[in-house]
Amino acid sequence: QVQLVESGGGLVQPEGSLRLSCATSGPLFSINAMGWYRQAPGKERELVATITTNGIARYKDSVEGRFTISRGDAKIMNKVNLQMTKLKPEDTAVYYCAASTRRPYEWNYWGQGTQVTVSS
């Protein structure tokens, strides 16, 4: 089975930056896409960004131009990063890494989450 472990969360001031990483293990060649979700207190989990094995990236409108998703290897999904800049208090949430091994974007593996808090 694929395993996902997030890291890099923390406390940052507004307009600051953070870099989240998601390390993968297991049958990496089975992964066809990966994504980052987030869930704020009292809100539903929402999709932030996705990337496929051929490098196609997509973003939630509110993070377009501020967040960048990237993969560590062009051939296998051994690591996926989320570079976050110009952070806003509304970006505060638990961020989760997800992977799909069946149909792309049908997430069947999840990480445990990492907290991101944007506050002065």
Side-chain angles (χ1 to χ4, degrees), residues 9-82:
L11 173 64
V12 63
Q13 292 187 344
E15 295 299 310
S17 299
L18 272 178
R19 182 181 177 89
L20 304 183
S21 292
C22 176
T24 61
S25 60
L28 302 184
F29 285 100
S30 66
I31 299 175
N32 48 48
M34 292 191 70
W36 285 95
Y37 277 74
R38 67 186 181 188
Q39 186 167 21
K43 295 187 177 182
E44 293 186 354
R45 189 173 296 190
E46 61 180 10
L47 181 62
V48 176
T50 62
I51 190 166
T52 61
T53 50
N54 56 8
I56 296 175
R58 297 176 179 174
Y59 300 91
K60 176 181 174 61
D61 287 347
S62 63
V63 308
E64 182 87 50
R66 299 189 297 122
F67 291 9
T68 303
I69 189 169
S70 62
R71 56 214 166 116
D73 190 291
K75 296 182 180 180
I76 60 172
M77 294 288 200
N78 61 334
K79 178 183 283 188
V80 173
N81 302 311
L82 185 68

Side-chain angles (χ1 to χ4, degrees), residues 10-16 87-92 116-120:
L11 173 64
V12 63
Q13 292 187 344
E15 295 299 310
L87 283 161
K88 305 175 182 181
E90 52 263 42
D91 294 319
T92 295
V116 172
T117 303
V118 184
S119 175
S120 56

Side-chain angles (χ1 to χ4, degrees), residues 71-113:
R71 56 214 166 116
D73 190 291
K75 296 182 180 180
I76 60 172
M77 294 288 200
N78 61 334
K79 178 183 283 188
V80 173
N81 302 311
L82 185 68
Q83 179 69 45
M84 305 185 294
T85 64
K86 299 180 181 179
L87 283 161
K88 305 175 182 181
E90 52 263 42
D91 294 319
T92 295
V94 177
Y95 283 70
Y96 298 90
C97 179
S100 60
T101 60
R102 296 192 288 255
R103 291 185 178 182
Y105 312 119
E106 289 187 358
W107 315 109
N108 51 330
Y109 292 100
W110 293 87
Q112 81 288 353

